[in-house]
Amino acid sequence: MILKVLSLFPGFVESFFSTSILAKAVEKRILSYENVNIRDYTTDKHRTCDDAPYGGGAGMVLKPEPLGAALAAVGADQFRTIYPTPGGRLFNQAYAEELSKEETLIFICGRYEGIDQRIIDLYVDDEISIGDYVLSSGELAAFVLIDAVFRLLPGVLSSESLEEESYKSGLLEYPQYTRPEVYQGLRVPEILLSGNHALIQQWRKEQSLCKTQRYRPDLLEKLKQEGKGYGFN
Ligand code: 6GU
């Protein structure tokens, strides 16, 4: 997969791609990226990227010309172009899976109050929100989207870890334990030491259900409506 990230903070973007498991995917050639500085596409002496909004109001808006020139340069008319914004469609795992099937993705990282609507009309395929809260940096939201997508690419994770995780079954994950058996007086649940895999699976299912009931009753409701029972086979 090829990722092209347009922003005003290429250093921030570089730090994201050069750290952790994402860097390994780049090394393994599962992923390549282009880090594009929108400011490189300005034509005025002051390299201006933003301006006050027409109609008044607080904050600044990214001007269409530099951003549009950057988008044209990376071929935004040919590739799926994503604008992370709190005003977009809500992201989820199914959306991540859909995006992971694309050969190339372009991300526009805005700051200020947003970007000129005509850029959205001309170039953007998806306006995506990562949740009901507001971040000051479009980069952070783009990083969340990129992380959720790249880990689904073949060769990044083991297929077992992908299959077992939350949201596949529609329930939250059960608790995990590792050695030692007793930590600060707290014991690992006896059943996990029993070697009885049927009982362990049943316990994990109960734990998943309890946790989902407590934190995400909406997910249980959705499973019921879809007639899927409780995931977990
Ligand atoms: Cl995609 N961007 C920003 N700046 N804030 C957000 C968001 C995106 N999704 C939720 N809050």
Side-chain angles (χ1 to χ4, degrees), residues 207-224:
Q207 294 293 314
S208 276
L209 280 169
C210 282
K211 212 168 167 202
T212 311
Q213 181 64 257
R214 184 177 342 147
Y215 291 135
R216 297 295 304 276
D218 58 303
L219 292 179
L220 285 183
E221 212 38 56
K222 203 171 114 207
L223 281 175
K224 264 189 237 161

Side-chain angles (χ1 to χ4, degrees), residues 21-22 25 28 30-31 149-158 162:
I21 192 166
L22 196 58
K28 286 203 259 177
I30 293 167
L31 198 73
V149 169
F150 101 94
R151 60 190 291 289
L152 300 175
L153 298 175
V156 176
L157 297 184
S158 75
L162 285 179

